[in-house]
Amino acid sequence: MIDVKATLADASERMEMAAMFLDEQLSRIRAGRANVAILAGVRVEQYGMMMPLNQVANVSCPDARTIAIKPFDKKAIRDIEKAIMDSNVGITPENNGEIIRLGIPQPTEERRKELAKQCNQIAEKAKVEVRNVRADIKDKLKKAIKDGLSEDLEKDAEGDLQKLHDKFIKKLEEMLAAKHKEIMTI
């Protein structure tokens, strides 16, 4: 016989992972405002191995349209520049010998709409994952009836599961709405 509370806690944890996925993916989308998360996936070859950019340089946002990258080792400036060019960030770095600057261009209206669609697709993936968790847990509860779980307990657990599902879907929609607002704000 299954432990209903543990099963619901597992469902909550898995739904939270979907929300974290969405949050991480949305933070990487460039909305016309400088954000160091844009460079989260950039890896730089240093000392014979690939390292995250934030381990070889100090990355900061001095203003709303600029990202500044100050390498810990000035010899690494070319490698960092190359890594940024090779990544899919879509911004050309400028360097003055000490600091690399990335100027974040103001996106056009068309580009803003493309970014909004991209956000919608990512959010839909997260919602699908939340729905899959709900379906998976529902199946477990149905099977648990055969193992001796009472139907009343199963119905209560299903109700709690639906409330959990609704809470996380609402959370995902709020995250998406906030990103849409950020993208569409000039």
Side-chain angles (χ1 to χ4, degrees):
M1 195 156 112
I2 66 168
D3 181 6
V4 176
K5 284 187 179 180
T7 306
L8 290 175
D10 176 49
S12 176
E13 189 176 315
R14 288 170 57 192
M15 289 178 185
E16 185 63 44
M17 293 296 277
M20 287 168 52
F21 164 79
L22 178 64
D23 189 39
E24 180 185 322
Q25 293 298 312
L26 291 180
S27 72
R28 290 185 180 174
I29 292 179
R30 188 162 42 106
R33 204 171 285 126
N35 182 353
V36 295
I38 293 168
L39 301 172
V42 176
R43 300 234 177 254
V44 181
E45 187 172 340
Q46 239 353 192
Y47 311 115
M49 55 195 270
M50 298 303 277
M51 300 176 79
L53 179 61
N54 63 1
Q55 289 184 5
V56 295
N58 186 20
V59 183
S60 61
C61 293
D63 61 62
R65 294 257 172 255
T66 310
I67 297 175
I69 304 160
K70 184 168 173 51
F72 300 135
D73 180 7
K74 286 186 180 143
K75 294 173 191 159
I77 206 159
R78 293 267 177 252
D79 294 332
I80 292 171
E81 225 175 1
K82 183 181 181 315
I84 292 169
M85 293 294 278
D86 292 345
S87 73
N88 61 356
V89 175
I91 305 169
T92 306
E94 307 162 12
N95 93 52
N96 63 6
E98 287 184 24
I99 295 176
I100 297 172
R101 295 189 193 287
L102 299 176
I104 309 294
Q106 184 73 26
T108 63
E109 186 67 25
E110 188 177 310
R111 178 69 179 139
R112 288 175 192 274
K113 287 178 180 173
E114 284 175 29
L115 290 172
K117 280 183 185 176
Q118 190 179 351
C119 291
N120 287 341
Q121 290 171 341
I122 294 168
E124 193 54 41
K125 283 182 187 174
K127 287 179 185 178
V128 165
E129 180 56 32
V130 168
R131 291 181 194 121
N132 287 343
V133 169
R134 178 184 61 179
D136 186 35
I137 299 300
K138 261 187 169 180
D139 288 345
K140 280 186 181 178
L141 291 171
K142 295 281 185 210
K143 289 176 184 169
I145 290 176
K146 295 173 188 167
D147 294 340
L149 183 70
S150 74
E151 286 187 26
D152 289 343
L153 274 176
E154 187 266 342
K155 289 288 181 205
D156 292 345
E158 223 172 88
D160 293 343
L161 180 64
Q162 186 61 43
K163 286 177 189 168
L164 200 60
H165 167 269
D166 295 344
K167 177 183 122 184
F168 277 99
I169 292 291
K170 186 176 185 234
K171 181 178 180 177
L172 296 178
E173 286 172 353
E174 287 169 357
M175 291 165 75
L176 180 63
K179 189 65 176 184
H180 272 279
K181 186 178 178 198
E182 180 185 333
I183 289 171
M184 292 303 178
T185 304
I186 298 174

